Amino acid sequence: MTEHHQPLPDLPPPITSTGVIGWMRQHLFSSPLNIFLTLLSLYVLSIIVPNIINWAFIDANWTGTDRTVCDANPNGACWTFINVRLNQILFGLYYGQHADQIWRPITAFIILAGLVGLLLLPRLRFKAWLGAGVLLLYPFVAFALIHGEWLGLPVANSSQWGGLMLTFILASVGIVAALPLGILLALGRRSEMPLVRAFSVTYIEFWRGTPLITVLFMASVMLPLFFPSGVEFDKVMRAVIGITLFQSAYTAEAIRGGLQAIPRGQYEAADALGLGYWKKTIFIILPQALKISIPGIVNSFIELFKDTSLVSIIGLLDLLNMAQTASRSIEWKGYDVEAYIFAAMLFWIFCYGISRYSQHLEKTLHRGH
Amino acid sequence: MNTKSAPLTDTYRHAPVGHHENDLEKRLMIDIRDVHKWYGEFHALKAVNLQVHKGERIVICGPSGSGKSTLIRCINRLEEHQRGDIIVDGTELTNDIKHIDQVRREVGMVFQHFNLFPHLTVLENCTLAPIWVRNTPRAEAEETARRYLERVDILEQAEKYPGQLSGGQQQRVAIARSLCMNPRIMLFDEPTSALDPEMIKEVLDVMVELAEEGMTMVVVTHEMGFARTVADSVIFMDQGEIVEYAAPEEFFENPKNERTREFLGQIL
Ligand SMILES: Nc1ncnc2c1ncn2[C@@H]1O[C@H](COP(=O)(O)OP(=O)(O)O)[C@@H](O)[C@H]1O
Ligand SMILES: [Mg+2]
């Protein structure tokens, strides 16, 4: 063993190259061109930002029940419109018109939030069983509440669903139903059986090569062709089927990436212990592969969440389209900027929240190594 | 590892009950006859013959790439041989998945890089296969696992994850994990060569103890001290062939083959 040479610790960097001042020097004022661009940007911002703040907050209209307030003060944003049409934008046409029924989607959402919160508790016992129960039973609870009929509640036909609620339903049913399909496809793509592999590859590449808007269009035009005429096929159901088939291909690719990252030694150790293909896959390979796939799956979920707006092609009104529709009603014509801003804000809150949660999940799942 | 009160394995469990066999002649556990293996064009094993009897300890050494891993990985079918027969405790290895499962249940393997399951705790690593392959009730599997973890002196780490352990500790867990399946044969593929020098002894100690209790063992290693004290026979492999096969004294004092002498000269 040679003796180790012990380097002296580095001197601390000069104060002007660290901290806020250092950062600004390095990134904003490093050359004459940069200085010019920085000053120009500051100037532009100083003109725009106060205007936005004035419009959105200081001069904005918040009160009232119709457009008279807003029309009297056209310099400010008309949040009155959002306020009055909130139920419609969040829950769709039926609940927009039946304010006394609004407790139904809200209850469904609170139950979901409660269950998810429960599942997020660390060290909860029987978590897997609870999770499976939620996955299997909750959709029926939510359907009974939101659709009605079963519990003697007035029927809210699915063609009347819309807004944030519809976006949420389409995206979450899509991702949950696509996950098991995606897992099977990813495993199939790596299978040693040529037929299984060929099927998986063809399926995945077919859906990945087709834009969602085409898928939705085909789901609305073509699905009914496969069923006897006269069978009225629910529009939301069509969208969910199309989205699930589409999404499963992306989920499969995300999971395949995870599978490829598992070292060969893991397979060999499982083989040597006598675990068969399915036990090896379920207990050893998938738990590790899914963990690695989380960022990819979440990314495609966020994309899906935003892409649900495309269901307008089959006549469904998701958050964006519902906001737009509300702003085009006779009562509120002309206030579409507010509608778009509000929809964008909700999209952002959800997508940002999901993204943060996935980062958190990756951290908590990270074990040693 | 100084408590010698309880045996490391339940050796008596494997006594061939009602087996009509001459007790003096030890039972043949591994029978490898004229085995060839190719990786594509590359001839990795050439006419290999090897018989291992119950309780025998075989050490295999040889230069890197000589086919040592390939040979012992053929014994539990991690690699498929193309010619010849491999019969493990009466079960011939063919493409029949039932035979393969049968053999894997009886043969434990310890790898150079441990290959513990990083998402499972040490205890879960040890109980997974007993529960799901042998259908052992969970409580019983955990009790067994704790007993083996205690014997490899690592019980206090049972709730940790493999990533939190040192290399030597991980390898001892890997040995305990194999033993939890109550194997009749243990295969070791360079179990100490990925370890820091100061951790080699703790792993070798466990292996010596296992050998003393009569486990049938095939060990690929370059730890010649281990070979001298523990092995019944030492094998030298080169270019896919068994070049020398001898008792340890003979092997080290009086090697017949030129390549063996060269090799021993390099590593001793
Ligand atoms: N999966 C494989 N594909 C192709 N060649 C392989 C594979 N595994 C091993 N080999 C080759 O077979 C020879 C023997 O390998 P191995 O049994 O691992 O040797 P050892 O364990 O003695 O170092 C080496 O030349 C190696 O390159
Ligand atoms: Mg090797």
Side-chain angles (χ1 to χ4, degrees), chain B residues 68-70 112 189-190 220:
Chain B
K68 309 180 296 292
S69 299
T70 306
Q112 180 176 0
D189 191 358
E190 306 209 31
V220 175

Side-chain angles (χ1 to χ4, degrees), chain A residues 320-335:
Chain A
L320 174 65
N321 292 295
M322 190 54 90
Q324 194 181 44
T325 305
S327 73
R328 287 178 184 170
S329 61
I330 305 163
E331 295 98 312
W332 296 101
K333 222 170 177 43
Y335 291 111

Side-chain angles (χ1 to χ4, degrees), chain A residues 70-242:
Chain A
C70 298
D71 289 346
N73 173 26
N75 291 332
C78 183
W79 300 128
T80 311
F81 152 54
I82 303 293
N83 211 355
V84 172
R85 290 301 183 98
L86 189 63
N87 283 349
Q88 182 191 346
I89 297 175
L90 293 184
F91 301 109
L93 293 174
Y94 177 86
Y95 291 105
Q97 285 155 9
H98 299 80
D100 57 322
Q101 300 294 320
I102 209 82
W103 62 271
R104 285 159 50 182
I106 292 179
T107 309
F109 187 79
I110 289 174
I111 293 176
L112 181 65
L115 289 171
V116 171
L118 200 61
L119 284 173
L120 296 186
L121 284 180
R123 306 228 154 262
L124 180 74
R125 296 189 63 203
F126 308 122
K127 199 180 250 187
W129 291 109
L130 184 62
V134 169
L135 226 50
L136 289 177
L137 292 178
Y138 178 77
F140 294 99
V141 175
F143 186 80
L145 277 167
I146 293 172
H147 181 264
E149 197 167 11
W150 288 353
L151 300 173
L153 296 167
V155 175
N157 208 297
S158 65
S159 60
Q160 304 267 301
W161 298 357
L164 180 63
M165 181 182 86
L166 181 65
T167 297
F168 201 74
I169 290 173
L170 291 176
S172 40
V173 175
I175 195 81
V176 169
L179 193 63
L181 270 181
I183 289 174
L184 288 177
L185 285 166
L187 292 173
R189 191 160 190 170
R190 291 168 59 84
S191 165
E192 281 165 17
M193 289 178 272
L195 261 179
V196 174
R197 195 171 52 230
F199 172 81
S200 306
V201 172
T202 313
Y203 180 98
I204 292 171
E205 297 308 331
F206 173 79
W207 292 104
R208 288 214 307 161
T210 315
L212 181 57
I213 194 157
T214 317
V215 174
L216 289 170
F217 190 67
M218 288 198 306
S220 78
V221 179
M222 287 173 60
L223 261 185
L225 297 182
F226 300 134
F227 291 88
S229 62
V231 174
E232 186 54 52
F233 213 56
D234 190 289
K235 261 189 196 171
V236 174
M237 192 57 135
R238 282 185 227 171
V240 163
I241 291 177

Side-chain angles (χ1 to χ4, degrees), chain A residues 27-38:
Chain A
H27 294 273
L28 301 179
F29 299 105
S30 57
S31 69
L33 178 66
N34 265 358
I35 293 174
F36 171 72
L37 288 175
T38 301

Side-chain angles (χ1 to χ4, degrees), chain B residues 27 127 142:
Chain B
R27 183 146 100 139
T127 56
E142 287 188 356

